[in-house]
Amino acid sequence: MQDKILLYGTEDCHLCELAKAECDTNQVDYTFIDIIDSEQLQAQYATSIPVLDWHGQLHYYPFSIAKIIKDLRSPS
């Protein structure tokens, strides 16, 4: 399981800005990955950004950080 929370997007993406704001509001420590820097990431995520990789589990926008956190705390 990966330790980091990654947010894939691009700098000029309005939805990516909303996703960043939601992460910031919920005090999520994440790393923003600009897919423009990688042909592989562009091929994988270009039509899906923003995409949140929460410890290896992908969440496609629109996602709710609060719901993700709640689901992680709930017993399976």
Side-chain angles (χ1 to χ4, degrees):
M1 176 183 287
Q2 81 183 36
D3 292 335
K4 294 184 179 181
I5 298 169
L6 306 175
L7 180 60
Y8 295 99
T10 61
E11 291 298 331
D12 294 325
C13 166
H14 173 69
L15 294 178
C16 299
E17 292 301 319
L18 294 175
K20 287 179 185 179
E22 184 168 357
C23 287
D24 294 341
T25 298
N26 287 281
Q27 301 177 345
V28 172
D29 185 18
Y30 68 95
T31 300
F32 182 77
I33 307 292
D34 192 334
I35 67 168
I36 294 299
D37 299 330
S38 167
E39 288 183 21
Q40 179 184 0
L41 292 177
Q42 286 180 44
Q44 191 171 359
Y45 298 122
T47 60
S48 305
I49 59 172
V51 177
L52 185 70
D53 183 339
W54 191 287
H55 302 289
Q57 186 176 15
L58 298 180
H59 301 273
Y60 296 89
Y61 199 82
F63 47 74
S64 165
I65 299 295
K67 183 175 180 340
I68 293 169
I69 292 169
K70 180 182 173 188
D71 290 349
L72 289 172
R73 290 182 180 156
S74 297
S76 300

